[in-house]
């Protein structure tokens, strides 16, 4: 995360030097699947530099700014890890949009949860937010809203993790694509009822 932050800062400096134009202080952050997991964790680590975050296919590991769970899902040990207090006000300024395929997961999470989340954190996450990916997705979105986070989640009908971006296999992607473009260009939140 520190190297990515350095790259962002360096890119900003270089662009301003080359163009002579001021670059925005905050970035648009996006990722899908593993890069989505990284993006949401990066937003938790550096909320002060993120304007909007669009994250797909990382629904089972959505962070919630609670001290009941350790990082990367919660902020219980945040100060020890990052050497600073969690900036909840900056985090509340980020506009989050999540999307996930309807068939991302169909059964309870009895698999090795240490793949994307440390095992002990995953156990606590499941106690608080649910056993299945779909439960955790819905409950994490709702928990974030209770914390005052601007977040919306969309479940793309008839889609799986692998084929969510394939319009031939997932006809609902056409609607999602329009919403993603609007989220990026017009700052419009995704509509879960679309």
């Amino acid at each position: 995360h520190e190297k990515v932050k350095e790259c962002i800062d360096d890119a900003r400096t270089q662009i301003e030097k080359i163009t002579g134009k001021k670059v925005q202080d905050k970035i648009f952050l996006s990722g899908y699947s593993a890069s989505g997991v990284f993006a949401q964790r990066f937003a938790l680590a550096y909320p002060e530099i993120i304007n909007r975050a669009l994250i797909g296919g990382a629904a089972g590991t959505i962070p919630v700014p609670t001290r009941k769970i350790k990082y990367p899902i919660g902020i219980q040990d945040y100060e020890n890890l990052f050497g600073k207090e969690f900036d909840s006000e900056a985090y509340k300024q980020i506009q989050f949009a999540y999307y996930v395929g309807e068939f991302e997961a169909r059964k309870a999470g009895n698999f090795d949860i240490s793949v994307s989340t440390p095992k002990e954190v995953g156990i606590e996450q499941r106690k608080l937010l649910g056993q299945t990916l779909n439960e955790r997705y819905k409950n994490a979105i709702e928990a974030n809203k209770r914390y005052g986070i601007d977040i919306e989640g969309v479940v793309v009908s008839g889609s799986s993790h692998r084929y969510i971006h394939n319009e031939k296999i997932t006809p609902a992607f056409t609607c999602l694509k329009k919403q993603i473009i609007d989220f990026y260009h017009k700052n419009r939140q995704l509509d879960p009822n679309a």
Side-chain angles (χ1 to χ4, degrees):
H1 65 89
E2 291 170 339
K3 291 291 184 191
V4 172
K5 172 75 166 64
E6 287 175 19
C7 286
I8 291 167
D9 293 341
D10 183 57
R12 182 179 290 119
T13 300
Q14 294 301 322
I15 291 169
E16 288 179 355
K17 187 187 292 184
I18 292 167
T19 66
K21 296 179 181 178
K22 175 86 171 112
V23 176
Q24 292 181 2
D25 292 334
K26 295 188 177 189
I27 65 169
F28 178 87
L29 183 65
S30 183
Y32 185 79
S33 196
S35 64
V37 171
F38 177 80
Q40 64 194 9
R41 292 175 182 181
F42 188 80
L44 200 64
Y46 300 104
E48 67 278 3
I49 68 164
I50 312 296
N51 181 26
R52 285 177 284 144
L54 174 66
I55 299 163
T61 59
I62 299 173
V64 178
T66 177
R67 296 203 180 272
K68 294 179 183 177
I69 307 174
K70 291 181 178 180
Y71 181 85
I73 304 298
I75 59 169
Q76 184 182 84
D77 54 349
Y78 187 91
E79 288 84 6
N80 291 337
L81 293 171
F82 296 103
K84 62 179 182 177
E85 270 189 54
F86 177 69
D87 189 342
S88 63
E89 290 309 310
Y91 199 70
K92 288 177 184 177
Q93 297 304 310
I94 302 172
Q95 184 181 19
F96 286 96
Y98 276 84
Y99 63 97
V100 64
E102 178 183 13
F103 306 124
E104 264 321 290
R106 296 182 184 206
K107 59 185 177 181
N110 294 325
F111 52 89
D112 180 7
I113 59 177
S114 63
V115 171
S116 64
T117 303
K119 190 170 188 170
E120 69 279 358
V121 175
I123 290 168
E124 289 304 310
Q125 175 202 31
R126 282 162 172 71
K127 284 180 190 174
L128 288 171
L129 298 172
Q131 290 299 308
T132 68
L133 182 144
N134 292 339
E135 289 173 321
R136 291 191 308 277
Y137 178 66
K138 178 181 173 274
N139 292 336
I141 297 281
E142 293 307 314
N144 272 291
K145 286 181 179 181
R146 286 191 299 275
Y147 279 103
I149 309 302
D150 183 1
I151 186 170
E152 200 57 70
V154 173
V155 177
V156 181
S157 63
S159 65
S160 66
H161 187 83
R162 183 174 182 185
Y163 296 110
I164 197 168
H165 297 110
N166 186 322
E167 293 176 76
K168 292 178 183 167
I169 296 173
T170 307
F173 179 69
T174 303
C175 178
L176 176 64
K177 182 167 69 175
K178 181 186 179 327
Q179 289 197 59
I180 288 171
I181 291 167
D182 284 349
F183 179 74
Y184 178 78
H185 287 293
K186 300 174 185 162
N187 211 18
R188 281 193 197 137
Q189 191 53 279
L190 301 187
D191 179 2
N193 300 314

